[in-house]
Amino acid sequence: LRRRVEGMLEEGLSCGRRADVEFEFDDGRRLVKGHRAMLSCVSAEFDGMFSSGMKEDCSGVVRVRGMSVASFKGFLEFVYLGRAGEECKGADGRELWLLSELYG
């Protein structure tokens, strides 16, 4: 069962299918997608964003400022899977720490 659940989470992380939120970076690109339900379960910050009528809730877009795409992907990998994997290897450790403080 554990492997099956982990496989489902890996698929959710790697696949934009059924994703209902996009992350927009400083350059305006939206390269990363996520799932409100998953993010809300693990983060009070995301839960508040997605349940309060804030612009992120209405638009489905969360702006990520001052962070690299690689670090944000690493952060989401840890959020979804509960472990550091390939995406975390390309991340800046300082940015991962800051993201965990902001959204953890």
Side-chain angles (χ1 to χ4, degrees), residues 2 4 24 32 62 86:
R2 180 179 173 190
R4 193 168 167 199
E24 182 179 280
V32 180
V62 175
E86 292 302 312

Side-chain angles (χ1 to χ4, degrees), residues 1-11 81 83:
L1 180 62
R2 180 179 173 190
R3 287 183 188 190
R4 193 168 167 199
V5 170
E6 188 170 298
M8 290 167 45
L9 292 171
E10 285 176 354
E11 182 180 336
L81 305 179
R83 61 177 165 75

Side-chain angles (χ1 to χ4, degrees), residues 9-11 15 37 43 46 50 66 69 77 80 91 94 97 103:
L9 292 171
E10 285 176 354
E11 182 180 336
C15 177
S43 166
F46 282 125
F50 299 138
V69 172
E77 177 181 61
Y80 274 68
R94 295 165 297 189
W97 175 82
Y103 301 112

Side-chain angles (χ1 to χ4, degrees), residues 6-24:
E6 188 170 298
M8 290 167 45
L9 292 171
E10 285 176 354
E11 182 180 336
L13 180 62
S14 66
C15 177
R17 202 171 102 227
R18 295 192 183 96
D20 55 1
V21 64
E22 293 180 298
F23 296 94
E24 182 179 280

Side-chain angles (χ1 to χ4, degrees), residues 25-96:
F25 295 85
D26 288 332
D27 61 4
R29 294 184 299 162
R30 296 180 183 175
L31 301 173
V32 180
K33 295 182 180 185
H35 305 83
R36 294 175 199 223
M38 177 66 182
L39 296 166
S40 294
C41 285
V42 298
S43 166
E45 183 71 21
F46 282 125
D47 187 42
M49 245 186 244
F50 299 138
S51 62
S52 64
M54 293 175 66
K55 66 181 178 180
E56 294 87 355
D57 185 26
C58 299
S59 69
V61 176
V62 175
R63 293 180 186 216
V64 179
R65 298 291 177 230
M67 301 292 161
S68 68
V69 172
S71 292
F72 196 77
K73 284 182 174 182
F75 168 72
L76 283 185
E77 177 181 61
F78 192 82
V79 166
Y80 274 68
L81 305 179
R83 61 177 165 75
E86 292 302 312
E87 295 290 347
C88 285
K89 290 179 182 177
D92 180 310
R94 295 165 297 189
E95 289 183 356
L96 286 175

